[in-house]
Amino acid sequence: MDRRETNALVQIDDQPLTRAREILLRSGHRVRQIQPAGSGSLHHLLIVELEDGGLQLMRLARSQDLEHTRVSLRAEAEAARRAHGIVPVAYPMLLVPDELRPEASLSPILPGVRAIDLRAKAPYDPGIGLLCQMLGRTLATLHTIRRPLGEPSYIGGSGRPLDERGDRLLHGDAHLGNLMVEVIPRKGFHVSGLIDWSFCHWGPPEADLVEMAICEAEPRPRLGQLFLKAYVDNGGEKPRREVFHEALAQELERRLHSHAQAYDPVARDVWTRWSRALQPRNVDPLRIFAPGRLPGRDLV
């Protein structure tokens, strides 16, 4: 979360603020101030100033889907614990009012800005390619975390049968919007965190590459190529065509049926063409990362 975002607050109704204060009091935290900071698909986001500590980011479950969000909060907390010290994450993530039936979480506010905001300000800056490479390196490191066999986990699996590579810890929504970086004058960028673990799960590494394929490689092929090369060069295993094919097809289907952006007619047209192109199993979807591909070209 960009610290500057705490000053660009969005307006939401008072009910989440009242619920947040009540939950924090139940869990023994004394509150100085709570301010809204946005809203996600599963949570309200709030900035909380505690009397016994600094600013915290609070992810408050939406009341209409509380049980589903409790599962997500427990998974996020476990993912932060497992990833801490391996990739930069907001840690510790505290579940409130308790770990068994959490209604919210508290975590430190990471310094820096979202990489996607830098891209939006200067889309043709050569440094944007460096940001894609940094995300590739970060994912390659994250994917060294293997699912411990026989150990209980709040993090769900992909549903695929285990293969010789084994399940890895996946972020589940890895794109520039969830990469936090600090700008270092005359030196470039430093990764300060990978945020929003709402969709984390155990699964094949290929499933963590589809977001960048859709968000960057399709409209900006050069950025997609830089991302994938950095991923492989830094220890990420070369994507298997069949596994990537399945992961991409599933993500396109999800977007077409439930994703808000599916109502964007341009995006919907691209995703529909891709879904049809993926139906023949002999199609190589990794062509989306191929050198020399022009923006907007189909997979075939």
Side-chain angles (χ1 to χ4, degrees):
M1 175 71 66
D2 181 355
R3 289 184 184 275
R4 295 180 302 176
E5 292 180 9
T6 63
N7 298 320
L9 303 177
V10 300
Q11 296 297 317
I12 60 176
D13 59 76
D14 289 336
Q15 184 180 0
L17 302 182
T18 302
R19 284 180 51 220
R21 187 176 295 275
E22 187 271 332
I23 290 169
L24 289 169
L25 288 175
R26 270 195 284 140
S27 58
H29 294 285
R30 298 178 64 85
V31 183
R32 287 182 179 173
Q33 185 176 345
I34 304 178
Q35 295 180 310
S39 188
S41 58
L42 297 177
H43 314 94
H44 297 292
L45 303 179
L46 306 106
I47 302 298
V48 177
E49 183 180 4
L50 301 174
E51 289 190 0
D52 58 352
L55 295 178
Q56 299 278 318
L57 176 67
M58 185 175 190
R59 299 167 68 82
L60 176 65
R62 292 181 175 276
S63 57
Q64 65 267 31
D65 197 9
L66 185 55
E67 192 54 43
H68 176 64
T69 312
R70 281 174 172 157
V71 173
S72 173
L73 288 171
R74 286 192 293 259
E76 289 181 65
E78 181 185 339
R81 176 179 62 82
R82 292 185 182 274
H84 177 61
I86 299 175
V87 297
V89 294
Y91 183 84
M93 181 177 286
L94 303 178
L95 299 179
V96 291
D98 58 68
E99 294 186 2
L100 294 179
R101 295 182 62 79
E103 298 177 46
S105 67
L106 291 172
S107 57
I109 296 177
L110 296 172
V113 298
R114 296 192 309 157
I116 200 170
D117 295 333
L118 296 175
R119 195 201 70 196
K121 291 179 181 178
Y124 302 107
D125 190 314
I128 305 305
L130 178 60
L131 295 175
C132 293
Q133 291 174 314
M134 295 172 80
L135 181 55
R137 289 196 294 269
T138 301
L139 278 188
T141 305
L142 175 66
H143 293 166
T144 62
I145 304 175
R146 295 175 179 269
R147 181 174 190 169
L149 296 180
E151 183 177 322
S153 174
Y154 285 121
I155 303 173
S158 64
R160 286 178 49 88
L162 289 177
D163 57 31
E164 71 281 358
R165 291 191 180 180
D167 282 351
R168 311 298 176 90
L169 180 58
L170 308 183
H171 178 272
D173 196 19
H175 55 79
L176 294 183
N178 287 327
L179 182 72
M180 295 293 295
V181 297
E182 292 182 278
V183 181
I184 303 175
R186 296 184 298 277
K187 291 186 179 180
F189 307 106
H190 166 73
V191 174
S192 56
L194 196 56
I195 63 173
D196 192 357
W197 292 73
S198 300
F199 302 101
C200 64
H201 60 282
W202 298 109
E206 288 85 353
D208 239 3
L209 307 180
V210 296
E211 284 293 329
M212 281 295 283
I214 293 172
C215 296
E216 299 299 336
E218 192 282 326
R220 291 166 284 272
R222 185 184 69 87
L223 296 183
Q225 293 153 25
L226 290 173
F227 161 77
L228 186 62
K229 185 176 187 302
Y231 176 79
V232 174
D233 287 350
N234 287 273
E237 296 173 332
K238 186 176 180 181
R240 295 162 292 184
R241 189 182 76 173
E242 297 79 6
V243 181
F244 184 80
H245 187 292
E246 180 181 346
L248 181 58
Q250 289 178 350
E251 175 60 17
L252 290 170
E253 182 179 0
R254 184 189 72 82
R255 287 176 175 242
L256 288 169
H257 286 87
S258 63
H259 199 288
Q261 292 183 10
Y263 296 101
D264 178 345
V266 175
R268 189 176 184 87
D269 179 61
V270 171
W271 299 342
T272 300
R273 294 200 320 269
W274 281 17
S275 294
R276 291 172 179 169
L278 288 172
Q279 290 174 8
R281 298 297 298 184
N282 60 346
V283 169
D284 183 4
L286 288 170
R287 286 190 59 190
I288 189 171
F289 293 111
R293 190 185 65 83
L294 298 177
R297 288 292 177 91
D298 288 336
L299 299 178
V300 295

